[in-house]
Structures are given as structure tokens and as C-alpha cells.
Amino acid sequence: MHLAIDSQELRAVGEAPPPEEEIAGDSPNGGRRRSRLTRPAVVALAVAAVGIGTVVVIAVERGSGQERNGPKPSAAASKAAFSPADCPVPVTNPAAAPPAHSGDAAAFVADVTLPDCVRVGAGKTITKIWRLKNAGTVPWEGYSLRRLDTPQRADQCQTISDVPINDTRPGKMVDIRADITTPRKPGLCYVRFKMVDAAGKVAFPGNRPVNFQVIVEGF
């Protein structure tokens, strides 16, 4: 007697089960990974009877509840809050883009207070001051710095969502003040802002965010 069996579903006694089919996908770390499709795992047991040629196939199906390759947390979800060891946090340039208003331009001048990675106490109110220059030909009227990291977590530094910028003529510098309340939990506060115009439109989408990063120490 002869049974027509797919040769890919047969393995000699003692060999590992056949590999599961795989598809390509993105891994949490940005590379490529292989994720397995769900299908029955078949273990083939071949018993050869001399002169008879009989083949016996035993199929074993895994329960879907035991799938070993379920969804994995994303890189963002698995990334814990920044720690003091991460300071200063590396900053990358956004994609190149023109300003919202032709001729508008901004230049960072200095951190007047709270330079990067300065240590501050927990549960305190402190003031961050950035100094910027209106380097273009467009007056800044009604501009502000809008916080990007929202909603604000309880373990992060608290600020108002929009930090006002005094009206600034082209060629002039302006000091921008933000009051910060530090959390009671030690760690690294890394908070970013983008400048927006009076209508709430991002003024410089191709510029890096303005940020502050302070190390909060325990009581």
C-alpha cells in the first residue's frame, strides 16, 4: 500500500518538527525580524515495514493559546523614562522644511539659566530662560513655545503648555521664561517645545525643538 504524503511534512524518527513558515516584519529595534504564521505543527513518524512499505503519519496540533511569538511591546513602550545617565539626550535634525512665513528665521543664543544636565531638587519650582534671536525679516507677534511632550506625566517636570514670547522685531533678541515644577521622584526631565505663531502654526518645522533637560535629585 502506498500513501501520497508531502515530503516536506515528513521527518525521520528523532528529528525536530518541521519549521513553521515565516514572514518578514519590522522588529522593535528598527531592523527586520521573522514572525511565524500560526498553523498546526506536524510531527511525522515514519515506520517502514520490510516488504510492505507502509507509512504512518501522526499529526499533533498546538493550542493557539500557547503561541510563543505573540505581539511584543514596541520600542517606545519598552523604553523606560529617561535616566540621568541619558543626559544630554542626543538630538536629531527634523526633515528640512521652509518656515511657516517666508523670511522668518530664529537662532538659538544661550541657555541663560539651567544649562543641560544641571542638578535640581525634587518638588521645587525653578525658572528656565532661553535666549533666542529673531534672525529673519518677520516680526514675532503673538508667538509662543508650545510643549510637545503632552499629556504631561506625573513623573515629569510640569510647565504651562504654551510659553509666551514677547513681541520681537527682526534682528532683536528675546529672553523666554518658563516656570518649571519638578516632580517628587528623582530622574531626568527632558521636555521639548516648538515655536508657534499667533495662529498656533509651527513657525519653523525644519528646526530642532527648544528643550530643557535637568536632573532631578531626591530630597
Side-chain angles (χ1 to χ4, degrees):
M1 180 179 67
H2 175 72
L3 298 179
I5 306 295
D6 187 341
S7 62
Q8 291 184 351
E9 296 295 321
L10 294 179
R11 293 292 185 277
V13 176
E15 288 188 358
E20 295 172 307
E21 294 178 11
E22 296 180 334
I23 58 173
D26 292 330
S27 68
N29 60 11
R32 301 290 293 173
R33 66 173 171 84
R34 310 289 298 184
S35 63
R36 295 172 179 167
L37 294 175
T38 302
R39 70 176 181 82
V42 179
V43 179
L45 174 63
V47 180
V50 178
I52 299 177
T54 302
V55 176
V56 179
V57 177
I58 302 174
V60 180
E61 181 173 356
R62 289 197 192 102
S64 60
Q66 299 300 319
E67 179 60 40
R68 294 172 298 171
N69 293 284
K72 296 179 175 61
S74 66
S78 62
K79 171 65 177 173
F82 287 111
S83 73
D86 296 313
C87 201
V89 177
V91 181
T92 57
N93 291 320
H101 305 281
S102 179
D104 205 356
F108 178 81
V109 178
D111 288 309
V112 179
T113 65
L114 304 178
D116 288 350
C117 307
V118 68
R119 294 179 180 273
V120 299
K124 304 291 184 181
T125 298
I126 54 180
T127 300
K128 171 70 181 186
I129 301 177
W130 301 273
R131 182 167 293 159
L132 303 182
K133 180 179 181 179
N134 183 338
T137 58
V138 177
W140 294 347
E141 296 177 350
Y143 280 39
S144 63
L145 293 182
R146 176 162 296 168
R147 181 164 174 158
L148 301 180
D149 308 284
T150 55
Q152 301 184 38
R153 305 191 315 264
D155 63 346
Q156 256 289 12
C157 286
Q158 305 297 304
T159 68
I160 59 175
S161 297
D162 284 87
V163 180
I165 300 174
N166 292 334
D167 291 352
T168 309
R169 306 296 300 173
K172 300 296 183 179
M173 291 187 289
V174 61
D175 286 354
I176 307 168
R177 305 171 62 93
D179 289 332
I180 302 164
T181 300
T182 60
R184 299 180 68 85
K185 181 180 178 180
L188 173 63
C189 280
Y190 174 55
V191 181
R192 304 172 304 145
F193 300 82
K194 289 285 278 188
M195 189 182 294
V196 298
D197 63 14
K201 185 175 182 180
V202 175
F204 308 108
N207 289 13
R208 292 181 179 181
V210 174
N211 73 81
F212 70 80
Q213 35 192 315
V214 297
I215 296 172
V216 179
E217 297 183 314
F219 293 99

